[in-house]
């Protein structure tokens, strides 16, 4: 019996073939896949790998299905690096559940965004709206009456496009969404 329900993906032997003992010459006879539970191995740059942990959520997109996103979980971080084009990377395995009617097939090209931190019900502003005062502290320009008011803010996490504002700004206030040149 097979260790799980699945689909026979390939058969590499025919009736009458002599199959040696697995301890002498291991040979794959049948490839069985579970199309609803897949693994994706991605390469993570050495600069980013310290932030990656087993159990983190990952958002997976496939080139062949650009309008769909799948959720996975980091299950393995391989300890030995690999050099790819002169860059040191670490392989990270992500497991994902795939609905049967999703159109996902084994071997499709995919990419993953590993979620390093997650917040909900927070105030975010576009990065282009964040400026600095003369001391290098973050500020935003809030529209007040007919002018702009310089407002110091405390920032939280950022995805590189939008940044969390922990304090200094209230929901509903209008800000100038482009950097102000000094």
């Amino acid at each position: 019996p097979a260790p799980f329900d699945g689909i026979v993906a390939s058969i590499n032997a025919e009736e009458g073939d002599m199959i040696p003992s697995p301890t002498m010459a291991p040979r794959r006879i049948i490839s069985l896949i579970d199309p609803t539970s897949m693994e994706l191995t991605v390469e993570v740059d050495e600069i980013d790998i310290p932030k990656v942990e087993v159990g983190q959520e990952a958002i997976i997109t496939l080139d062949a299905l650009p309008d769909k996103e799948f959720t996975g979980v980091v299950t393995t971080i391989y300890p030995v690096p690999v050099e790819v084009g002169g860059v040191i990377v670490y392989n990270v395995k992500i497991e994902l559940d795939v609905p049967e009617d999703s159109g996902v097939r084994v071997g499709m090209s995919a990419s993953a965004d590993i979620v390093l931190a997650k917040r909900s019900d927070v105030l975010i502003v576009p990065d282009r709206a964040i400026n600095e005062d003369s001391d290098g502290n973050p500020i935003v320009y809030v529209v007040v009456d007919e002018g702009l008011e310089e407002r110091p803010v405390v920032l939280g996490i950022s995805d590189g496009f939008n940044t969390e504002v922990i304090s200094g700004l209230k929901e509903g206030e209008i800000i100038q969404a482009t950097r102000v040149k000094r």
Side-chain angles (χ1 to χ4, degrees), residues 14-19:
E14 295 181 20
E15 185 177 341
D17 284 354
M18 294 297 293
I19 307 297

Side-chain angles (χ1 to χ4, degrees), residues 108-131:
M108 286 183 165
S109 296
S111 60
D113 290 320
I114 298 172
V115 180
L116 302 177
K118 193 174 188 177
R119 304 267 202 285
S120 59
D121 296 323
V122 297
L123 183 62
I124 61 170
V125 298
D127 284 359
R128 66 181 184 278
I130 300 169
N131 293 271

Side-chain angles (χ1 to χ4, degrees), residues 56-83:
Q56 286 175 321
E57 180 182 337
I59 308 301
I60 293 97
T61 54
L62 290 94
D63 294 351
L65 304 168
D67 297 332
K68 294 184 180 180
E69 287 186 345
F70 302 90
T71 303
V73 175
V74 173
T75 57
T76 306
I77 302 168
Y78 293 89
V80 179
V82 178
E83 186 175 335

Side-chain angles (χ1 to χ4, degrees), residues 87-155:
V87 177
I88 301 298
V89 297
Y90 289 82
N91 286 328
V92 173
K93 187 190 297 181
I94 298 169
E95 290 185 4
L96 60 148
D97 292 328
V98 180
E100 283 188 44
D101 61 348
S102 66
V104 175
R105 301 283 184 263
V106 172
M108 286 183 165
S109 296
S111 60
D113 290 320
I114 298 172
V115 180
L116 302 177
K118 193 174 188 177
R119 304 267 202 285
S120 59
D121 296 323
V122 297
L123 183 62
I124 61 170
V125 298
D127 284 359
R128 66 181 184 278
I130 300 169
N131 293 271
E132 291 183 349
D133 64 14
S134 58
D135 295 326
N137 299 312
I139 60 168
V140 294
Y141 288 96
V142 180
V143 176
V144 179
D145 297 325
E146 299 294 318
L148 295 175
E149 176 184 297
E150 184 178 293
R151 183 88 56 84
V153 289
V154 176
L155 303 176

